[in-house]
């Protein structure tokens, strides 16, 4: 019989309170600037998560160079991404925020896991096939072994959950396969994380091609809005958004993908329901609607952009955040790496 803890929110089994928080880890490649899509679809939900979970978030710069990067741009984006996360509400005191290349254990465990990941498994990865097709002149070894490094990212921290988007599920499954193989040989070294299905975030599509997801790696002018875009640029992007030959603001993903996408964005920014939005713009045509959506987005992003710009000027602060983050992360990662080195038969230093 569990003992119960009772407070104003109700009764909770005591063991849920006395147990340490479950751990969660996720990484994002700084290979493009964050978009309105990543914000409304994911980052917005991270705020406050630290109350229930022990959260680790990192900038996956090691993964970013599997595709050729401009060094100055990669450096800028890595720091900017950190500033943006903080601006979006991730409290660095309560979350562990770090840069992947600062924690050398990732690359080290990545190599070990390469030796426990099969050529056939890596060849079947959808992302590898897609990226090889897109970068035919640079199908490098890192692009191929990307998933074993990602498995290392995860397994080093023994997390309970790994929140990822649909496109990354296959990588988490491979991580499981590798961990199971390793545990099968050496005993229970790695904990298998459960997939984390976050509260459904809004799925935001491109403004000019509403059948495709709004993507950070697409070229400019492909109907994406960046978190750091100025109000002028945002308004211009929304004025150019595709709608249809109708004039009716009505939600129908199939028949009216452009208008529906704008409604999703407007609903996410204003918390209005689709019915309220339909009523609000009844008989007004698309011009007024697009302006209203643009303005709502400008106001939603304004505090984030302003805070990120302010943080970007405070290099010393950002440096202290990623240094502390790397220290905390290394501490956890090193424990796992030591165990692995011992298991595989490396001589202790
Ligand atoms: N591959 C992920 C992406 O492209 C980024 C990533 C790297 C990641 N390592 C990870 C995500 C570990 C979760 C856990 O989005």
């Amino acid at each position: 019989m569990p003992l119960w803890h009772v407070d104003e929110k109700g009764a909770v089994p005591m063991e849920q309170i006395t147990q340490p928080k479950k751990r969660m880890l996720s990484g994002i490649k700084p290979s493009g600037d964050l978009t309105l899509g990543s914000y409304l679809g994911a980052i917005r939900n991270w705020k406050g998560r630290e109350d229930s979970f022990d959260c680790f978030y990192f900038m996956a710069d090691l993964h970013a160079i599997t595709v050729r990067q401009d060094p100055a741009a990669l450096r800028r984006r890595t720091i900017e991404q950190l500033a943006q996360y903080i601006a979006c509400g991730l409290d660095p005191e309560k979350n562990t925020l770090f840069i992947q290349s600062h924690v050398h254990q990732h690359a080290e465990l990545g190599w070990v896991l390469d030796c426990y990941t099969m050529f056939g498994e890596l060849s079947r990865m959808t992302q590898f096939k897609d990226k090889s097709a897109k970068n035919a002149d640079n199908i490098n070894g890192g692009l191929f072994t990307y998933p074993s490094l990602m498995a290392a990212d995860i397994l080093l921290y023994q997390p309970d959950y790994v929140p990822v988007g649909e496109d990354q599920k296959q990588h988490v499954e491979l991580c499981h396969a590798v961990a199971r193989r390793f545990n099968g040989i050496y005993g229970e070294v790695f904990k298998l994380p459960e997939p984390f299905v976050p509260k459904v975030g809004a799925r935001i599509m491109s403004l000019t091609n509403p059948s495709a997801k709004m993507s950070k790696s697409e070229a400019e002018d492909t109907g994406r809005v960046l978190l750091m875009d100025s109000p002028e640029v945002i308004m211009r992007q929304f004025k150019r958004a595709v709608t249809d030959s109708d004039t009716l603001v009505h939600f129908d993903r199939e028949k009216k993908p452009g208008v529906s996408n704008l409604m999703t964005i407007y609903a996410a920014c204003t918390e209005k329901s689709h019915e309220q939005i339909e009523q609000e713009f009844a008989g007004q045509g698309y011009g007024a609607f697009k302006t209203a959506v643009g303005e709502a987005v400008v106001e939603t992003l304004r505090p984030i952009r302003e805070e990120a710009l302010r943080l970007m000027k405070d290099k010393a602060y950002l440096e202290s955040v990623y240094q502390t983050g790397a220290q905390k992360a290394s501490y956890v990662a090193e424990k796992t790496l030591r165990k692995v080195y011992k298991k595989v038969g490396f001589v202790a230093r």
Side-chain angles (χ1 to χ4, degrees):
M1 273 284 283
L3 293 170
W4 296 87
H5 167 84
V6 184
D7 63 14
E8 66 277 7
K9 287 185 206 141
V12 198
M14 198 56 128
E15 59 188 21
Q16 246 181 50
I17 294 171
T18 50
Q19 265 172 13
K21 283 185 197 169
K22 299 254 182 191
R23 184 172 291 160
M24 190 175 273
L25 165 125
S26 198
I28 289 96
K29 282 193 301 271
S31 50
D33 295 306
L34 295 175
T35 67
L36 174 69
S38 18
Y39 178 67
L40 294 179
I43 307 170
R44 196 168 62 144
N45 299 321
W46 297 355
K47 192 174 163 179
R49 217 183 240 175
E50 69 266 11
D51 294 338
S52 337
F53 298 97
D54 179 19
C55 299
F56 286 70
Y57 297 104
F58 64 96
M59 327 302 142
D61 55 351
L62 296 177
H63 277 108
I65 62 163
T66 54
V67 171
R68 194 78 72 228
Q69 301 289 333
D70 171 60
L74 178 60
R75 204 169 289 126
R76 172 188 65 77
R77 280 197 236 100
T78 306
I79 303 278
E80 209 166 88
Q81 212 172 76
L82 175 67
Q84 290 170 10
Y85 284 170
I86 301 171
C88 286
L90 283 189
D91 180 348
E93 302 275 324
K94 298 183 183 154
N95 294 274
T96 304
L97 309 176
F98 67 99
I99 298 172
Q100 187 186 25
S101 63
H102 288 183
V103 183
H104 59 80
Q105 290 86 350
H106 288 244
E108 292 179 55
L109 183 62
W111 169 256
V112 174
L113 295 185
D114 272 343
C115 305
Y116 296 81
T117 312
M118 298 303 128
F119 182 88
E121 288 173 318
L122 293 170
S123 316
R124 283 193 291 275
M125 291 289 120
T126 317
Q127 182 173 301
F128 173 67
K129 291 189 224 162
D130 287 354
K131 291 213 169 169
S132 322
K134 276 194 200 150
N135 304 283
D137 55 347
N138 186 21
I139 307 178
N140 59 69
L143 199 59
F144 189 62
T145 59
Y146 183 115
S148 6
L149 178 60
M150 178 158 163
D153 297 339
I154 297 170
L155 298 174
L156 276 174
Y157 298 91
Q158 315 273 10
D160 298 279
Y161 302 105
V162 180
V164 286
E166 197 54 38
D167 61 327
Q168 294 297 316
K169 268 199 182 148
Q170 200 186 21
H171 287 159
V172 179
E173 281 159 19
L174 181 59
C175 167
H176 271 204
V178 174
R180 251 186 264 114
R181 179 171 301 134
F182 197 94
N183 287 353
I185 305 171
Y186 304 105
E188 292 301 302
V189 176
F190 297 127
K191 178 165 177 174
L192 300 192
E194 285 171 46
F196 178 73
V197 188
K199 262 195 299 171
V200 222
R203 192 169 145 79
I204 308 298
M205 315 303 277
S206 154
L207 299 182
T208 49
N209 175 17
S211 60
K213 198 175 128 182
M214 185 183 282
S215 162
K216 64 174 147 96
S217 34
E218 295 299 327
E220 240 180 282
D221 292 339
T222 47
R224 47 148 223 220
V225 171
L226 301 179
L227 224 52
M228 298 305 280
D229 275 343
S230 68
E232 297 71 39
V233 171
I234 297 177
M235 291 309 293
R236 196 175 346 118
Q237 292 289 60
F238 278 96
K239 290 210 172 104
R240 294 189 346 192
V242 297
T243 44
D244 49 45
S245 53
D246 222 350
T247 54
L248 189 65
V249 175
H250 171 66
F251 195 86
D252 185 336
R253 272 232 184 260
E254 301 255 301
K255 298 203 189 95
K256 300 170 75 70
V259 173
S260 303
N261 186 38
L262 291 175
M263 284 179 74
T264 305
I265 295 172
Y266 193 62
C269 292
T270 61
E271 312 214 331
K272 288 179 186 167
S273 69
H274 290 161
E275 295 71 44
Q276 282 173 319
I277 300 170
E278 286 172 7
Q279 274 170 22
E280 186 177 344
F281 295 99
Q284 289 202 47
Y286 292 147
F289 177 51
K290 287 194 210 177
T291 305
V293 182
E295 282 166 357
V297 169
V298 167
E299 288 321 312
T300 302
L301 297 186
R302 187 190 301 282
I304 298 174
R305 177 166 178 262
E306 285 174 0
E307 179 63 0
L309 288 173
R310 189 187 70 75
L311 288 167
M312 285 297 288
K313 289 200 204 104
D314 196 349
K315 290 281 183 309
Y317 172 70
L318 293 174
E319 202 177 293
S320 76
V321 169
Y322 64 65
Q323 281 178 354
T324 311
Q327 256 172 27
K328 287 200 268 179
S330 289
Y331 180 79
V332 179
E334 182 60 20
K335 280 194 188 170
T336 309
L337 188 68
R338 285 257 180 89
K339 211 175 188 180
V340 169
Y341 275 10
K342 192 171 168 194
K343 292 285 186 185
V344 300
F346 293 165
V347 173
R349 210 170 73 174

